[in-house]
Amino acid sequence: MRRFLAMLMLMAAAGACTADDSELAVTPTVERAYLAEPIGEGPTAMYLQIRNETQRPASLVAVETEAATQVELHTQRTTGDMMVMEQLDSIPIEPGGVLQMRPGAEHVMLLDPLPSMVMGDTVGATLIFSSGERVQAIVPVVSYGELVEIFEVGAMAPRKERD
Amino acid sequence: MAAPLPIPRRLGLLLLTMLALTATVLLAGCSVESAPAEDGQRGYRGRVQTPPLERPDFTMLDMYGEPYDFRAETEGKLTYLFVGYTHCPDVCPIHMASIASVLNQMPQYLDHVAVVFITADPERDTPERMREWLRAFSPRFVGLRATQEELRALESELGLPPSAVPVNAEGNYAVGHAAQVIAFSPHGPAHVVYPFGSRQADYANDLPRLMNDRWEER
């Protein structure tokens, strides 16, 4: 785990350097990705961190993956102490912006994931933007326990929402 | 009385103090754990509930189809209660995984803790499905199902928003449910709740306290 984190930090550092580069990316890029290991035949969530270093606004409209046939973009809407999932048609990313999906917020919902996927597997995913651009990503499958750790200690740590 | 320090040493001390202060500020800024609000929080990182929530008295069917008398079964145990559903992709499994992981790190408390999950989606959450889902976190977690009336009554007693199962045009449905885990003290009401976003470190900080806190001075 420690080595994994060190690697993440290196990747983050590398990401920071590219961001300073004067060359602009052609398409948004996926910096990190995780897929929660499904429990039985239940649905599961994929979390992507997408950076838009292009000069145009980007809008994620769909994700395709061999790991499921029904895939939707979702967010969690919180009203007081109540949480409910809500389907999104698209998720915008400003030029220079980063979309950081995380538990309790935006995620890619896999309604019928392959139940055979286990922690340690990797799956492919294709992100589809409103411009028609398609971006490939390799997504590791992690357990919910790992996911908790990643989002607590990693750079993707969620903002603590206090009410 | 100490003799006044020579100027260079005083400068050195001043520099050291400044360094220490800067380091403190930097560390505070980088700290992953948000500073707990000390006001009325008594050192807890979960949200202290005032007034506390009475331990409810109810019986529901468990994930083996047997009646589960909540008060009798959880008496003397620190009890985490959560209303959720197993087709929930992140909030529910994240809470369950956090609590399971903290309990694994504190095995001395295992026999003194109960984790009770009540489904807000009894239609899809059959006893088999609940067993499968809860076992992914811990074989000790208990799953309960209730009729809608029973669930409403409990939610209202606990001040939770009523869970809802709205169906959209495609026949898919998203379940709305309370996002917090309620922690009942071993012999009493619930003084602390954990909203979504609570971290393992928050549960771990509070667990030994909750075990021993008599809440006398409240």
Side-chain angles (χ1 to χ4, degrees), chain A residues 39-43 45 47 72 76 81-85 102-104 107 109 144-145 147-149 152 158 160 162-163, chain B residues 32 34 45 47 85 87 89-91 93 98 129 132-133 136-137 161-162 174 176-180 196 199-200 202:
Chain A
I39 301 173
E41 301 201 340
Y47 303 93
E72 297 177 353
Q76 289 276 0
D81 281 333
M82 186 83 161
M83 287 188 101
V84 67
M85 271 200 312
R102 59 193 166 89
H107 55 271
M109 174 96 166
Y144 276 106
L147 207 59
V148 165
E149 285 194 21
E152 286 198 343
K160 181 124 185 175
R162 292 248 174 224
D163 38 359
Chain B
V32 174
S34 51
R45 298 222 197 130
R47 188 171 77 199
Y85 66 113
H87 286 73
D90 65 4
V91 174
S98 296
R129 171 63 188 160
E132 169 184 70
W133 190 77
F137 306 104
H177 63 103
Q180 69 267 46
F196 184 70
R199 294 152 189 256
Q200 283 182 61
D202 301 331

Side-chain angles (χ1 to χ4, degrees), chain B residues 170-193:
Chain B
E170 290 89 54
N172 291 324
Y173 57 97
V175 178
H177 63 103
Q180 69 267 46
V181 172
I182 303 176
F184 292 94
S185 298
H187 295 282
H191 296 274
V192 181
V193 302

Side-chain angles (χ1 to χ4, degrees), chain B residues 24-35:
Chain B
T24 315
V25 169
L26 278 177
L27 277 176
C30 293
S31 171
V32 174
E33 293 149 12
S34 51

Side-chain angles (χ1 to χ4, degrees), chain B residues 53 55 78-81 181-185 188-194 203 210:
Chain B
L53 298 163
R55 205 178 186 95
L78 168 59
T79 307
Y80 294 100
L81 180 75
V181 172
I182 303 176
F184 292 94
S185 298
H191 296 274
V192 181
V193 302
Y194 295 89
Y203 285 108
L210 283 167

Side-chain angles (χ1 to χ4, degrees), chain A:
Chain A
M1 190 66 205
R2 198 160 293 171
R3 196 171 298 168
F4 178 57
L5 280 176
M7 206 178 75
L8 271 186
M9 282 158 104
L10 269 179
M11 281 165 62
C17 294
T18 343
D20 287 339
D21 245 319
S22 52
E23 275 178 51
L24 284 164
V26 182
T27 62
T29 48
V30 177
E31 296 186 318
R32 279 167 218 167
Y34 304 100
L35 177 63
E37 181 186 82
I39 301 173
E41 301 201 340
T44 192
M46 181 188 287
Y47 303 93
L48 304 168
Q49 181 170 311
I50 309 167
R51 184 178 291 276
N52 179 14
E53 285 298 334
T54 71
Q55 284 177 304
R56 300 157 278 117
S59 180
L60 179 69
V61 292
V63 174
E64 287 175 358
T65 169
E66 79 256 18
T69 58
Q70 294 182 63
V71 182
E72 297 177 353
L73 302 177
H74 279 203
T75 192
Q76 289 276 0
R77 188 160 44 83
T78 308
T79 317
D81 281 333
M82 186 83 161
M83 287 188 101
V84 67
M85 271 200 312
E86 198 170 74
Q87 191 176 349
L88 300 171
D89 293 330
S90 62
I91 308 177
I93 319 170
E94 287 306 301
V98 179
L99 166 64
Q100 192 171 279
M101 297 186 186
R102 59 193 166 89
E106 293 96 348
H107 55 271
V108 180
M109 174 96 166
L110 278 62
L111 291 159
D112 57 350
L114 293 173
S116 55
M117 278 190 299
V118 292
M119 198 171 122
D121 288 349
T122 48
V123 301
T126 304
L127 286 63
I128 302 167
F129 292 90
S130 58
S131 58
E133 285 164 331
R134 298 168 76 90
V135 174
Q136 308 295 327
I138 301 288
V139 188
V141 179
V142 300
S143 69
Y144 276 106
E146 280 181 297
L147 207 59
V148 165
E149 285 194 21
I150 291 163
F151 281 91
E152 286 198 343
V153 297
M156 283 173 86
R159 290 184 299 276
K160 181 124 185 175
E161 273 150 353
R162 292 248 174 224
D163 38 359

